[in-house]
Amino acid sequence: MSDPPSDDGSDAIHDDGQDVMTPAELIAKLEEAWLNEKFSPELLENRSEVVECVMEQLTHMEANLQRVKKGDAKASMHRMEIDRIRFVLSSYLRSRLQKIERFFPHILEREKSRGEGDPSLLSPEEFAFAKEYHANTETYLKAVALKRMPPNLQTVDMLKAVPEPCLDSFVFLRVKERQENILIEPETDDQREYVVDMEEGSQHLMRYRTIAPLVSSGAVQLI
Amino acid sequence: MFCEKAIELIRELQRMSDGQLPAFNEDGLRQILQEMESLYEQNQSDVNEAKSDGRAELIPSIKLRHCCLLRNQRCVAAYLYDRLLRIRALRWEYGSVLPANVRFHMCAEELQWFSQYKKSLASFMRSLGADGLDITQDMKPPKSLYIEVRCLKDHGEFEIDDGTVILLKKNSQHFLPRWKCEQLIRQGVLEHVMS
């Protein structure tokens, strides 16, 4: 979304999405986003349009359920389905929030240096949360210890103090679109860099850094 | 030796292995801050002397003291930050009201941080969708719709979604919708009976 988030703007996108996407496709999208977010070491771009649609879908399903007769076997099947979807949705939002809390200085720094028109990693709500978390933690450290320290030591550089996400960790992935000439960088000094082709449907274990752009473009799925 | 107190503080946290929160070590923190103050004062006077009298031989000891100061600062920040992470985990485990014995181990500023964290999290969850979504629920993937629970204490009447009211009495067993019980299980009112 490159537009500034205005009310009617986001509504239009939202409606379009609903017209072209069936509920099944929507849930598949959610699951894709969920798995990617769960397994990637860094925070991925927010998918708030999917989250919003799923939320709406859930409300809709709940409302439908209210109309069903008591004791209907179909009702409990639907109930179960709602529970499952809600679990995936909560788990997705939870893992994002956890990453925001763990890496907040780096995420906020990236948000600051983001060029105009570039999509934001964070949804507006997540951004508000990250800012509050940052301010809260800084105020706390200052109040308890830093303000009682010698004058030249009263600040802590959060960017240096809080660890960065480890992009070199290995991830499992499945290829959704055939990729050619993926450059694998050497791990040790006696190795040399080489290229691989990845067939559609094949599964690999490689460093996240190598395939990070493919994850965000949706060409591979983390598993 | 310098910095010993700071290491002691970190060790204290490490000893409480499984994310437990030890009592806030106000005394240890004060001693470290005192050590830092005296190190800083000595450095100040040495720096002045080195500058005015040109005594270059003082510089190594100034450097040493400065390193100790930095190390102390880093240890204190690590101690405080790690405690925050433990307190944060408590919010997800116990809900927004902490048990009294945990609160007893926290200092006033930590309580303040906690209530602010609670607020941020609540407003984040409220902003999801039209009427909010509690993401501290549904921590485990749902296996079945209904679960067998046993009541551990008297909780009074409890209404489930279809309007039926049941009485949660100590030691009674019920077969209830899972999504209604999760919170009560974590609060220790109900216990999930595994069969």
Side-chain angles (χ1 to χ4, degrees), chain B residues 148-152 173 184-185 188-194:
Chain B
E148 182 100 31
V149 288
R150 184 181 302 132
C151 234
L152 297 178
Q173 287 218 90
L184 288 175
I185 291 173
V189 176
L190 297 176
E191 175 191 41
H192 186 177
V193 185
M194 305 285 184

Side-chain angles (χ1 to χ4, degrees), chain A residues 1 13-14 21 26 29 46-54:
Chain A
M1 269 202 291
I13 288 165
H14 191 89
M21 235 195 293
L26 175 66
K29 274 236 153 47
N46 81 83
R47 307 290 302 273
S48 42
E49 76 290 350
V50 175
V51 172
E52 252 167 64
C53 287
V54 172

Side-chain angles (χ1 to χ4, degrees), chain B residues 23-104:
Chain B
F24 188 77
N25 196 339
E26 181 70 55
D27 198 48
L29 181 65
R30 214 196 45 239
Q31 288 180 26
I32 296 170
L33 290 170
Q34 267 169 8
E35 183 186 300
M36 289 178 78
E37 202 181 300
S38 64
L39 281 171
Y40 181 72
E41 275 166 13
Q42 282 170 9
N43 254 5
Q44 285 297 72
S45 65
D46 275 9
V47 166
N48 286 339
E49 216 168 303
K51 264 194 204 148
S52 55
D53 309 339
R55 291 179 57 187
E57 77 272 15
L58 284 175
I59 290 174
S61 58
I62 294 173
K63 275 193 178 148
L64 174 73
R65 285 194 205 105
H66 188 68
C67 284
C68 290
L69 279 169
L70 285 175
R71 188 170 174 76
N72 269 333
Q73 185 207 34
R74 194 168 156 191
C75 288
V76 167
Y79 175 75
L80 297 174
Y81 188 63
D82 195 67
R83 284 182 63 89
L84 288 190
L85 295 184
R86 287 171 196 228
I87 294 169
R88 173 214 170 262
L90 291 171
R91 162 67 187 89
W92 290 77
E93 200 178 321
Y94 289 107
S96 54
V97 182
L98 289 183
N101 60 335
V102 174
R103 266 205 312 263
F104 184 68

Side-chain angles (χ1 to χ4, degrees), chain A:
Chain A
M1 269 202 291
S2 53
D3 300 327
S6 69
D7 268 336
D8 41 324
S10 57
D11 266 346
I13 288 165
H14 191 89
D15 281 341
D16 281 349
Q18 254 185 349
D19 284 343
V20 292
M21 235 195 293
T22 66
E25 281 167 355
L26 175 66
I27 300 305
K29 274 236 153 47
L30 173 69
E31 277 180 12
E32 184 191 312
W34 172 52
L35 290 174
N36 276 344
E37 193 67 69
K38 226 173 149 65
F39 296 121
S40 89
E42 65 166 353
L43 188 76
L44 302 174
E45 202 180 309
N46 81 83
R47 307 290 302 273
S48 42
E49 76 290 350
V50 175
V51 172
E52 252 167 64
C53 287
V54 172
M55 286 293 289
E56 215 160 86
Q57 190 68 26
L58 278 178
T59 326
H60 190 65
M61 284 170 82
E62 295 261 9
N64 276 351
L65 259 191
Q66 295 297 320
R67 290 206 303 270
V68 180
K69 275 203 305 281
K70 200 172 164 183
D72 194 336
K74 267 195 284 183
S76 48
M77 307 275 273
H78 281 287
R79 184 81 247 174
M80 191 70 201
E81 198 53 32
I82 291 182
D83 275 13
R84 286 184 171 142
I85 296 172
R86 212 182 41 217
F87 164 73
V88 173
L89 183 66
S90 304
S91 174
Y92 169 68
L93 291 166
R94 263 200 302 273
S95 52
R96 287 185 61 83
L97 216 53
Q98 258 161 26
K99 284 183 198 169
I100 293 174
E101 285 172 3
R102 260 179 82 189
F103 308 123
F104 64 95
H106 309 282
I107 290 171
L108 285 173
E109 185 62 27
R110 203 163 142 180
E111 192 70 8
K112 236 187 277 168
S113 58
R114 172 171 66 98
E116 205 142 308
D118 286 353
S120 165
L121 285 185
L122 302 165
S123 72
E125 298 82 27
E126 285 167 343
F127 182 55
F129 179 85
K131 266 199 313 200
E132 276 174 39
Y133 190 80
H134 184 224
N136 190 18
T137 307
E138 236 175 19
T139 321
Y140 166 75
L141 288 179
K142 195 148 253 161
V144 176
L146 292 181
K147 68 160 196 244
R148 286 147 72 190
M149 286 186 183
N152 57 345
L153 291 169
Q154 291 196 346
T155 52
V156 170
D157 186 357
M158 291 281 199
L159 273 174
K160 281 196 194 128
V162 176
E164 266 182 276
C166 173
L167 298 183
D168 282 323
S169 56
F170 281 80
V171 289
F172 282 101
L173 59 108
R174 184 185 303 121
V175 182
K176 284 161 66 183
E177 293 161 26
R178 192 188 137 79
Q179 299 294 325
E180 283 173 3
N181 297 330
I182 300 291
L183 184 73
I184 310 285
E185 276 165 23
E187 246 176 283
T188 49
D189 288 339
D190 48 310
Q191 281 177 339
R192 257 195 272 147
E193 59 178 32
Y194 59 100
V195 292
V196 288
D197 293 345
M198 299 197 292
E199 296 299 331
E200 192 183 323
S202 61
Q203 299 183 5
H204 303 264
L205 170 64
M206 40 172 57
R207 258 178 298 175
Y208 176 75
R209 195 190 293 277
T210 320
I211 46 98
L214 298 177
V215 173
S216 49
S217 73
V220 303
Q221 163 84 55
L222 299 185
I223 51 175

Side-chain angles (χ1 to χ4, degrees), chain B residues 74-165:
Chain B
R74 194 168 156 191
C75 288
V76 167
Y79 175 75
L80 297 174
Y81 188 63
D82 195 67
R83 284 182 63 89
L84 288 190
L85 295 184
R86 287 171 196 228
I87 294 169
R88 173 214 170 262
L90 291 171
R91 162 67 187 89
W92 290 77
E93 200 178 321
Y94 289 107
S96 54
V97 182
L98 289 183
N101 60 335
V102 174
R103 266 205 312 263
F104 184 68
H105 282 167
M106 289 160 64
C107 70
E109 289 85 358
E110 279 175 330
L111 285 169
Q112 219 170 359
W113 182 89
F114 179 75
S115 79
Q116 181 59 45
Y117 177 72
K118 226 162 55 179
K119 254 189 253 164
S120 310
L121 187 63
S123 58
F124 174 74
M125 294 197 295
R126 252 201 320 277
S127 66
L128 296 166
D131 32 46
L133 174 71
D134 186 354
I135 58 169
T136 63
Q137 297 280 315
D138 300 290
M139 295 298 274
K140 292 197 192 98
K143 287 259 188 305
S144 60
L145 210 43
Y146 288 81
I147 54 172
E148 182 100 31
V149 288
R150 184 181 302 132
C151 234
L152 297 178
K153 43 180 119 159
D154 287 317
H155 188 67
E157 289 186 341
F158 182 63
E159 190 182 332
I160 49 176
D161 279 4
D162 56 6
T164 336
V165 177

